[in-house]
Amino acid sequence: MDMSGEERIAAPREAVWAALNDPDVLKACIPGCQSLTMKSPNELEATVKIKIGPVSANFSGEVTLSNLNPPESYTISGEGKGGIAGFAKGGADVRLTEDGDGTILSYDVKAQIGGKLAQLGSRLIDSTSKKLATQFFADLGAKLNGGAA
């Protein structure tokens, strides 16, 4: 699965960068995130509960930040296992560009899934992924503007 897009966030680039590197902010914004802890400055451990169509699973895995170029870009990659539901692994290149008093966040995602999830069909996976991305960016924008996520 490949997905790309961009979102305008009404906050300065440095604030968006800080939020994207803050485990508490990320935990509040990632749909279904049960836990997110820093193992090192570039490694996080996560547990996420997600439902795609008829399949519901708890995924646990590790996330790594690389190609760090603060406050402009980084690559986030990870792999999660969801028991009989299957696995998910992939990464995203994230870029932040100043836009007046806001920030344009651009992303390119490449992911692979296996197990029961892979049997659901690409249309369901793609539409669910877009919905989860939309929710994440709405929550991130609300968090950066002082609202509750």
Side-chain angles (χ1 to χ4, degrees), residues 19 24-29 137-149:
D24 293 331
V25 172
L26 291 173
K27 181 180 179 215
C29 297
F137 290 117
D139 290 349
L140 181 65
K143 198 87 165 146
L144 283 164
N145 291 308

Side-chain angles (χ1 to χ4, degrees), residues 104-127:
I104 302 292
L105 185 155
S106 306
Y107 58 92
D108 291 302
V109 177
K110 294 193 183 313
Q112 297 175 306
I113 56 170
K116 281 188 176 183
L117 286 175
Q119 299 169 0
L120 294 176
S122 63
R123 287 174 63 176
L124 180 59
I125 297 292
D126 289 349
S127 67

